[in-house]
Amino acid sequence: MALYPLQIAGLVLGFFGTVGTIATTLLPQWRVSAFIGSNIVIFERIWEGLWMNCIQQVHVRWQCKYYGSLLALPPALEASRALMCVAIAVSLIALLVGIFNTKQIQCTGSNERVKSYLLGTSGVLFILTAIIILIPVCWTASLIIKDFYNPAIHVGQKRELGAALFLGWATSAVLLIGGILLCNVCFCKRRMKRHRYSSTEYREQYKPQHQKMMGS
């Protein structure tokens, strides 16, 4: 019973991590226009994401456009798309497995061993999702920083780290903490069950010997 609040906390963190994963994938602020050097007057702002780019000129609303051709995209963008889609799928599976393992939803019956394994599976999947998110986010950030300090690239073509990257890092941390909590709950449940089994076995072995001594 003492472990149940930790299980709920892990699932809540997993839920927020799943929402953050979806938001990180859909937001266009992966790469934003940089205003450096003599570029003081802002004539336009540019956002570049995984699925679209947006531009805002002076006294004009934001105009966003989805990328037209899939084959024309850079390899890094294609890989980031694929990894983030995989991260969304894995996080949703982990969340569903964890929810079906709660006391309010008895989909696994009364088998405590199955419940412990499913809970551990949910935690491992959340941790795996955090690692998958870190790959495209850190990769994109590395490319942005590399191009930013490259003197061969024009100032107008340089980009800065967008809000989606910071959201991705925060989401990875939340998923990692939630997954660790669920794995710890699974480990503690298995350890408690093993301890109860060994105690019961010891009592069963001790009882016949005690009865013989009392009879003699």
Side-chain angles (χ1 to χ4, degrees), residues 10-207:
L11 289 177
V12 170
L13 291 176
F15 171 76
F16 285 115
T18 302
V19 174
T21 304
I22 298 174
T24 302
T25 306
L26 297 179
L27 285 176
Q29 294 101 324
W30 280 62
R31 299 158 58 97
V32 298
S33 53
F35 305 105
I36 57 178
S38 59
N39 190 13
I40 300 177
V41 181
I42 301 174
F43 291 101
E44 64 180 14
R45 296 180 179 179
I46 300 175
W47 293 348
E48 297 176 2
L50 298 180
W51 309 95
M52 68 179 75
N53 56 4
C54 300
I55 184 171
Q56 181 190 34
Q57 297 179 345
V58 181
H59 304 301
V60 179
R61 291 183 178 181
W62 282 101
Q63 296 178 347
C64 298
K65 180 181 179 182
Y66 289 95
Y67 299 124
S69 175
L70 181 63
L71 300 177
L73 297 177
L77 184 58
E78 294 181 358
S80 298
R81 272 186 174 186
L83 288 172
M84 292 305 297
C85 290
V86 171
I88 291 176
V90 175
S91 64
L92 288 175
I93 294 174
L95 185 62
L96 291 176
V97 171
I99 290 175
F100 290 153
N101 200 33
T102 56
K103 291 183 178 180
Q104 284 74 16
I105 304 178
Q106 298 290 342
C107 293
T108 57
S110 59
N111 194 332
E112 293 295 331
R113 185 177 181 181
V114 175
K115 289 182 178 181
S116 297
Y117 280 122
L118 288 178
L119 196 63
T121 302
S122 178
V124 170
L125 290 177
F126 278 133
I127 295 174
L128 180 61
T129 304
I131 297 174
I132 295 175
I133 293 174
L134 284 177
I135 296 174
V137 170
C138 294
W139 188 8
T140 303
S142 176
L143 293 176
I144 293 173
I145 295 173
K146 182 180 178 181
D147 293 342
F148 187 86
Y149 291 105
N150 188 356
I153 297 179
H154 189 266
V155 175
Q157 300 296 325
K158 294 179 185 284
R159 298 291 182 263
E160 290 183 351
L161 305 178
L165 298 180
F166 295 100
L167 179 60
W169 283 317
T171 299
S172 297
V174 171
L175 287 170
L176 187 62
I177 296 172
I180 291 174
L181 283 177
L182 294 177
C183 289
N184 285 335
V185 172
C186 172
F187 176 77
C188 291
K189 283 186 176 182
R190 292 184 60 188
R191 189 175 181 181
M192 291 169 60
K193 184 179 179 181
R194 193 181 300 117
H195 179 71
R196 287 197 301 266
Y197 177 77
S198 60
S199 300
T200 304
E201 188 178 20
Y202 173 77
R203 285 196 299 268
E204 290 177 354
Q205 293 178 356
Y206 176 76
K207 187 175 181 180

